[in-house]
Structure formats: C-alpha cells, structure tokens
Amino acid sequence: MEIIKAMIAALLLLLLGDFFSTFLYHVPEHVFGRFHTIVHHGKNRSFLHYAVLTRNPLVVIDGILGAIPYFIFTPCLWQLSPIGTSIGLLFGEFHVVWRHVSILQWQTPKPIEFICNLLFITTPERHWQHHRNAFAAYGDIFTFLDPPAQKWLIFLRFIRRKSKQNIQLLATE
C-alpha cells in the first residue's frame, strides 16, 4: 500500500505542479511579463549559459517562480507519502536539467524517446522547440498540456490586446 501511495503522491505532484506552473506562471509570463522571456528566451538560449555560467540571480528567481506550484502542493502530498512527494520533487528537478541538455547536442535514445512519447513526457528535443519558438511546446514535464496551453495563450493575448486598446481609447478621450 505504501508503494501505491508513493506513486500517487509523486504523480499528483508532477501533474498538479506542471499544470499550475504552465497556466498560472509560464503562459501568462509570455503574454504579460518580460521576466521569463528575457531569462529563458534571450539571444543566448543556452540553459548552460543562463543557469550555470552567468550566475545570474534572475535565473534562480525564474526557476523558483516556476517551481512554486510544486511547493504549494508539497505539504498536502507529504501527508499522503513523504517518500512519493520527495521522489516527485527529485524527478521534477532531474527533468528540468535533462530537458535543457539539448543545447549540448544531446539526442534522446530511441527507446527512452518511445517511452517518453507513450507517457506524454517532454524530451529535451521537444523542449528545445519551445526555446526556438516561445509560442509552442508548453508543458514543462507533460506534453498533453500543450494544446490547452495554446488556447490559453491565444485567450490571454486577446485580453492583452483588448486592454491596450481600452487604455489607448481612454487616453484619447
């Protein structure tokens, strides 16, 4: 029974964390913010450059902001299984590093790519699509979040455009 609780806690942490991080931080930051875009999608899109070599504290802040949803669910899921919650957090951190190895000319082995596709897990190659095009390949861990994230992105861009039009209209009156 403990193994099942651990698996459920880990999976819930990853699902909930990725969902809320995508829809409450990542996509809105691409529309309304500049912070994530500057840090994560700047001219030098190398994770190694940003996260390791520059020692830029903004990178750490961006990472923490993206991780907050995972930490919010940690106390609740800890009640279910401390081991499962810890495994979920460790897997999440491992995945952050792994999905950014594409800059190092990484090629995911075919059997691992097959398993990732079967489980809807983002590979480094898929995440690199997001680095090249900030409006594609959402869902840091799970690829099935991309279609609803695309709809959310379109909706938020519409809201932003309308709010700018209203502000301009008020300024001319």
Side-chain angles (χ1 to χ4, degrees):
M1 188 62 173
E2 285 303 313
I3 292 174
I4 293 171
K5 283 183 180 181
M7 290 171 52
I8 290 170
L11 186 59
L12 277 174
L13 181 72
L14 295 169
L15 288 169
L16 292 169
D18 198 20
F19 179 86
F20 284 100
S21 182
T22 297
F23 291 95
L24 296 182
Y25 175 67
H26 194 180
V27 174
E29 180 63 20
H30 275 270
V31 176
F32 299 108
R34 297 276 182 256
F35 184 68
H36 169 79
T37 306
I38 290 168
V39 171
H40 203 68
H41 298 280
K43 290 178 186 171
N44 183 349
R45 294 179 178 138
S46 161
F47 175 76
L48 181 66
H49 172 77
Y50 277 123
V52 179
L53 300 179
T54 64
R55 298 182 186 180
N56 184 343
L58 295 179
V59 176
V60 176
I61 294 169
D62 181 53
I64 289 169
L65 290 172
I68 286 173
Y70 296 88
F71 297 136
I72 288 173
F73 293 106
T74 296
C76 296
L77 294 170
W78 194 267
Q79 304 278 325
L80 177 63
S81 171
I83 292 171
T85 304
S86 299
I87 289 169
L89 288 170
L90 289 171
F91 180 83
E93 180 58 30
F94 164 78
H95 194 270
V96 167
V97 174
W98 181 62
R99 73 177 173 254
H100 288 98
V101 299
S102 57
I103 192 67
L104 304 173
Q105 308 304 316
W106 167 268
Q107 181 65 45
T108 302
K110 292 296 177 196
I112 293 173
E113 183 179 7
F114 176 79
I115 292 168
C116 287
N117 289 337
L118 199 63
L119 298 174
F120 303 99
I121 294 174
T122 299
T123 61
E125 294 83 2
R126 179 167 172 86
H127 186 69
W128 189 243
Q129 292 174 17
H130 181 67
H131 277 265
R132 288 186 309 216
N133 178 2
F135 300 109
Y138 283 97
D140 285 334
I141 295 176
F142 297 105
T143 60
F144 58 78
L145 291 178
D146 186 45
Q150 292 294 326
K151 302 285 189 225
W152 184 233
L153 178 73
I154 291 166
F155 176 73
L156 291 178
R157 290 176 82 192
F158 171 78
I159 296 295
R160 180 179 173 210
R161 194 170 36 257
K162 283 295 183 190
S163 65
K164 279 186 175 183
Q165 288 172 352
N166 289 340
I167 290 169
Q168 288 174 346
L169 196 64
L170 288 172
T172 59
E173 291 179 359

